[in-house]
Amino acid sequence: MLDFMSARADALPRQKTAARRKSRKKSGGSPAYMLWAPLLVGVVATYFAVHYAEILPLMGPAGLLRLRLMAPLAMLAHQPELGMAEATADSVAQGLLYVQFPVYGLLLGLVWRVAGFARAAGIVVLVHALAIAAVLVLSQL
């Protein structure tokens, strides 16, 4: 009877314990650049976007459309349907202009680590497109 049990133990692969699986998961994490690189790109993009946003209103109606396409979150603050005072809307819009691209970078980095780059980029594009649609719809009311 002992020979049967030893033969069976040799034939079946050893099962991994929960502790071994956890330790392997911790060491096999995603690289840090997947979070910090998109965030850094977002900070750099903010620098150029702020300078570009200063020029766009001077270009007339076409420039305002480009501003709505580039910084829809900042333009949402100026919508009268939100009921904010003008001074408050200016401050919120300025803050959103500076925060928009780093938040996109952080969102891209976090989702990239979990679901892959294509899905992360799709989510960021979807969020931006929804913000553009909200600005365009509210400007038509």
Side-chain angles (χ1 to χ4, degrees):
M1 184 158 172
L2 290 175
D3 291 334
F4 173 74
M5 293 182 94
S6 65
R8 182 180 169 149
D10 291 337
L12 294 176
R14 212 169 131 194
Q15 291 183 352
K16 295 180 180 163
T17 63
R20 286 186 191 155
R21 278 181 274 173
K22 285 183 182 177
S23 67
R24 183 172 288 166
K25 273 189 177 179
K26 287 180 184 175
S27 65
S30 55
Y33 75 86
M34 293 175 83
L35 178 63
W36 296 110
L39 183 61
L40 183 63
V41 169
V43 170
V44 171
T46 297
Y47 174 77
F48 293 107
V50 168
H51 288 296
Y52 191 54
E54 292 173 356
I55 297 169
L56 286 175
L58 303 174
M59 298 174 72
L64 287 176
L65 178 63
R66 288 182 188 162
L67 185 59
R68 286 180 183 152
L69 294 175
M70 182 187 74
L73 297 177
M75 295 302 288
L76 273 175
H78 284 288
Q79 298 302 320
E81 290 80 14
L82 297 179
M84 279 195 274
E86 188 67 29
T88 305
D90 287 341
S91 299
V92 170
Q94 188 74 20
L96 286 172
L97 182 62
Y98 280 97
V99 169
Q100 176 182 349
F101 292 107
V103 167
Y104 284 169
L106 185 63
L107 178 65
L108 180 73
L110 290 174
V111 177
W112 185 9
R113 292 176 75 157
V114 175
F117 182 77
R119 185 169 288 168
I123 289 173
V124 170
V125 168
L126 179 66
V127 167
H128 193 78
L130 289 174
I132 290 171
V135 168
L136 293 176
V137 166
L138 288 176
S139 66
Q140 297 300 320
L141 294 179

